[in-house]
Amino acid sequence: TSTILAYDKGPKILCPAMNVHMYENAVTQRNLNTCRELGWTIVEPESGMLACGDAGKGRMEEPARIETAVEALLLANRPDGELPLKGLAVLVTAGPTQEPLDPVRFLTNHSTGKMGYALAEQARDLGAQVTLVSGPVALDAPYGVDVVDVTTARDMFDAVTNRFSDTDITVMAAAVGDFRPVEQARDKIKKNGRSSIELELTSNPDILAWAGEHKRPDQTLCGFAMETRDLETNAAKKLASKHCDMLAANNLRTPGAGFATDTNVVTVLTPGETADKPNIERWSKMGKDALAKRILVKLAAMRADGERH
Ligand code: CTP
């Protein structure tokens, strides 16, 4: 730890890990505050079982989250002109879609839009010109982002396809309804003494698949996948069939993942040497903001890598 005192060329990050009593000791806390005041970034330890057998705050933070903190710090310390998405147009889809059944009812899902909104905000902070095509959500429109409000999957399809050729990076985080009622009743559907009714549904356009078919080599496409089982097998199929450059897959049943949470746990797939062998990275649980930034930084890095080859 004394070696770092000789380093003065860049930002410093400290990831303390120790016994809970050592960590909570006033001397440690005062010294951490001194470091904070001097501008060091402190990645706080996690709570849980410690190597010594005690339980409490003191476990080293997950390496993936330390990496995110390092990336964020490096980005924050870059001059404006070096922001990784500077000059790029980013299109994000977010939220659920609603498919009307009659004037008072609709089919929808549990999406809150948090992941997509986090992506739009982070893309803006990384220097991009951002368009957010959003289904109905309860979130405020992010500052400095062009928001296009839509309701149905077909509206979302139109909003995306009209803008797609002008975008460099597209990230589809919306939970698009796969089916809609064949008929939308003009008037409220009445019970009329019936004990059951049948609804006929027809499929909606797959927006991500359309984008995968129409994308130019200079465009980068990232999709999401929501699964309840066989995550990696199903996600690998989606990555290949929808021609994505990246797919972030999450399992609804994993604690800390899924709808309405502030965190997410994703497995990130990118095309490998053959379609049945994608590259797979299993990222640990992190806040949706941190995850959004990490996805975008990875997409920017993939583009930069592509340009070098
Ligand atoms: N998606 C889309 N348009 C649709 C359906 C899905 O753009 N009509 C996009 C989602 O935004 C997401 C990805 O496709 O980026 C995968 O969505 P998901 O619901 O996990 O899978 P589906 O393709 O709908 O397949 P299935 O429901 O069979 O799992």
Side-chain angles (χ1 to χ4, degrees), residues 102 105 187-197:
D102 69 12
R105 304 178 179 98
D187 293 303
K188 185 182 172 204
I189 300 171
K190 305 292 279 180
K191 283 198 288 295
N192 285 342
R194 291 176 291 186
S195 59
S196 69
I197 61 167

Side-chain angles (χ1 to χ4, degrees), residues 97-101 105-107 152-154 177 179-181 204:
T97 56
Q98 289 179 354
E99 306 297 335
L101 209 54
R105 304 178 179 98
F106 51 79
L107 298 179
T152 66
R154 284 183 296 175
F179 297 96
R180 66 174 184 276
N204 274 326

Side-chain angles (χ1 to χ4, degrees), residues 96-159:
T97 56
Q98 289 179 354
E99 306 297 335
L101 209 54
D102 69 12
V104 291
R105 304 178 179 98
F106 51 79
L107 298 179
T108 189
N109 57 62
H110 291 293
S111 170
T112 58
K114 282 185 180 173
M115 193 64 237
Y117 276 58
L119 282 157
E121 288 173 8
Q122 296 296 323
R124 171 202 64 199
D125 292 348
L126 294 173
Q129 196 65 40
V130 185
T131 304
L132 174 62
V133 177
S134 174
V137 296
L139 303 171
D140 291 334
Y143 173 80
V145 167
D146 181 18
V147 181
V148 182
D149 289 312
V150 297
T151 304
T152 66
R154 284 183 296 175
D155 294 343
M156 189 174 274
F157 180 82
D158 291 343

Side-chain angles (χ1 to χ4, degrees), residues 172-174 176-178 205-208 223-227 238 242:
M172 299 212 186
V176 185
D178 289 329
D206 189 318
I207 309 166
L208 182 61
F224 271 74
M226 170 72 81
E227 306 292 346
K238 279 181 196 168
K242 304 199 190 197

Side-chain angles (χ1 to χ4, degrees), residues 226-231 234 250-253:
M226 170 72 81
E227 306 292 346
T228 53
R229 56 181 295 182
D230 304 326
L231 179 86
N234 285 329
N250 56 137
N251 187 332
L252 191 59
R253 302 216 165 103

